[in-house]
Amino acid sequence: MLSQYGIIAVFLLGGAATAIAALVANWLIRPKKPPEGDKLATYECGLETQGPTWIQFKVSYFLYALVFLLFDVETVFLYPWAVRFQALGLFAFAEMIIFIGILVLGLWYAWREGALKWL
């Protein structure tokens, strides 16, 4: 039984070693001198900015996108279940009801918090 945990440990160590190796390779390959001259100039539109360049945007746009992503992923899980509905039986039906209930709770919470208001 412990040998199964050994396999998991090998994968965890391999993943950590890969991440550390990527960071070290990036540090070794990066340019060493700081940028100067035209590399520091604006390039988006070619004009110098006027006023503050850092502006706040409404968080509701981000929340709106997250709610959309949530229900998009729901569709990905719902479609294969609907295709195999007859063969899955009552247990899978109950699981899907629980899944949809959790998503309805999330929608209710987002609606209550005002995440779905665009303006």
Side-chain angles (χ1 to χ4, degrees):
M1 181 157 172
L2 290 177
S3 65
Q4 294 174 348
Y5 288 116
I7 293 171
I8 294 172
V10 167
F11 274 106
L12 286 175
L13 289 174
T18 302
I20 291 171
L23 290 171
V24 169
N26 188 19
W27 182 78
L28 290 173
I29 296 172
R30 71 180 172 92
K32 302 297 189 237
K33 64 179 186 173
E36 57 187 38
D38 285 340
K39 286 195 173 208
L40 296 175
T42 52
Y43 61 92
E44 284 92 4
C45 62
L47 300 174
E48 292 295 324
T49 58
Q50 297 177 359
T53 55
W54 291 97
I55 59 171
Q56 274 188 320
F57 68 95
K58 293 179 72 171
V59 176
S60 62
Y61 300 138
F62 178 69
L63 292 175
Y64 199 77
L66 282 178
V67 170
F68 170 76
L69 186 64
L70 173 78
F71 288 104
D72 195 36
V73 169
E74 174 195 5
T75 305
V76 168
F77 283 120
L78 210 68
Y79 183 72
W81 174 81
V83 169
R84 298 287 300 163
F85 176 70
Q86 294 292 330
L88 293 175
L90 187 61
F91 182 71
F93 179 72
E95 284 183 342
M96 191 53 67
I97 293 298
I98 292 170
F99 177 68
I100 291 172
I102 291 170
L103 289 172
V104 166
L105 272 170
L107 176 63
W108 173 77
Y109 178 75
W111 198 315
R112 188 180 63 136
E113 291 294 318
L116 301 178
K117 290 182 181 176
W118 190 254
L119 297 174

